[in-house]
């Protein structure tokens, strides 16, 4: 029996959805929300525009899925890094979280860059699922910063919200300048942690 014959219709549908999202993420990363059309996405996938509606109800639904996946990839990377450093020194946990964020950010570049670039959905309000996914990820950093301030690894007198916004802004800004041939993720994580932690 062939591999294709072993695949269920659900697997085929999921792989078709993922293919659409992969191409949409690449197009959104380069063109943004307004410049990316359903026709472009369909042409990139090699299907008719009408066929997109079998998988997604609208362009907004595709964009929502791409944006949420971009945040989810980074969220999972940071949570895994923190789980692996449970009980470690605070500075090591900060460095691990930064490394997890950078590794996921640049390891899933189309999704994460599209997520950063397309947070604004044009005239439409940002979907609640996008807000919820972002809030859940930001909560990981809120807890970590509170832990680090309590341990004395970050200045207690600094605003936790400002620290979080500063750090995530700096890390996400690396999509503009990071090149693997110029920088190593581990070295960048050490440098970022050193800038924050005395």
């Amino acid at each position: 029996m062939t591999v294709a014959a072993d695949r269920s219709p659900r697997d085929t549908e999921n792989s078709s959805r993922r293919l659409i999202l992969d191409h949409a993420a690449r197009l959104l990363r380069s063109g943004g929300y307004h410049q990316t059309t359903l026709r472009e996405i369909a042409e990139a996938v090699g299907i008719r525009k009408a066929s997109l509606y079998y998988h997604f109800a609208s362009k907004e639904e595709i964009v929502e899925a791409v944006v949420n996946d971009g945040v989810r990839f980074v969220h999972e990377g940071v949570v895994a890094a923190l789980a692996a450093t449970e009980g470690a020194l605070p500075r090591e946990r900060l460095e691990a979280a930064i490394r997890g964020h950078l590794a996921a950010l640049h390891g899933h570049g189309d999704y994460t860059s599209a997520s950063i670039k397309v947070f604004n959905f044009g005239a439409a309000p940002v979907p609640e699922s996008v807000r919820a996914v972002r809030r859940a990820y930001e909560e990981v950093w809120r807890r970590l910063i509170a832990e680090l301030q309590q341990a004395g690894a970050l200045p207690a007198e600094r605003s936790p919200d400002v620290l979080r916004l500063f750090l995530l802004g700096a890390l996400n800004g690396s999509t503009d300048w990071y090149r693997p041939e110029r920088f190593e993720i581990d070295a960048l994580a050490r440098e970022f942690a050193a800038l924050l932690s005395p």
Side-chain angles (χ1 to χ4, degrees):
M1 190 175 275
T2 66
V3 174
D6 288 340
R7 295 177 68 182
S8 71
R10 181 79 173 158
D11 289 340
T12 302
E13 180 179 336
N14 286 340
S15 71
S16 296
R17 280 179 60 90
R18 179 53 61 198
L19 184 63
I20 292 166
L21 292 176
D22 287 348
H23 285 286
R26 181 179 50 77
L27 290 166
L28 288 163
R29 176 185 190 174
S30 61
Y33 180 84
H34 293 292
Q35 299 303 316
T36 303
T37 65
L38 286 175
R39 182 180 309 285
E40 281 182 307
I41 295 169
E43 286 174 0
V45 176
I47 61 176
R48 292 178 295 119
K49 179 180 166 185
S51 299
L52 289 174
Y53 293 107
Y54 175 77
H55 301 283
F56 298 96
S58 64
K59 172 183 169 180
E60 289 71 26
E61 190 176 306
I62 294 171
V63 174
E64 182 177 352
V66 168
V67 169
N68 285 343
D69 277 353
V71 177
R72 181 177 55 81
F73 292 140
V74 177
H75 187 160
E76 289 171 355
V78 172
V79 167
L82 290 172
T85 57
E86 191 69 42
L89 294 173
R91 169 75 177 272
E92 292 172 12
R93 285 176 56 72
L94 173 61
E95 189 177 314
I98 292 170
R99 185 183 310 107
H101 184 104
L102 288 171
L105 184 71
H106 298 292
H108 299 279
D110 286 342
Y111 282 88
T112 55
S113 292
S115 182
I116 293 165
K117 189 171 191 171
V118 187
F119 184 68
N120 180 342
F121 276 62
V126 175
E128 181 52 36
S129 78
V130 170
R131 294 181 189 280
V133 167
R134 289 211 173 198
R135 280 193 302 266
Y137 180 54
E138 289 175 355
E139 186 57 31
V140 171
W141 283 96
R142 281 190 183 93
R143 288 193 307 267
L144 178 60
I145 288 169
E147 171 193 324
L148 295 172
Q149 286 185 313
Q150 199 168 31
L154 289 176
E157 68 275 11
R158 297 289 176 238
S159 163
D161 285 337
V162 171
L163 281 171
R164 175 181 50 79
L165 292 168
F166 172 75
L167 180 57
L168 292 178
L171 296 177
N172 290 341
S174 71
T175 58
D176 291 333
W177 51 261
Y178 172 80
R179 301 293 176 272
E181 62 275 7
R182 290 182 59 207
F183 299 102
E184 291 184 3
I185 296 280
D186 287 348
L188 282 176
R190 282 192 300 274
E191 288 290 334
F192 272 113
L195 288 170
L196 286 171
S197 182

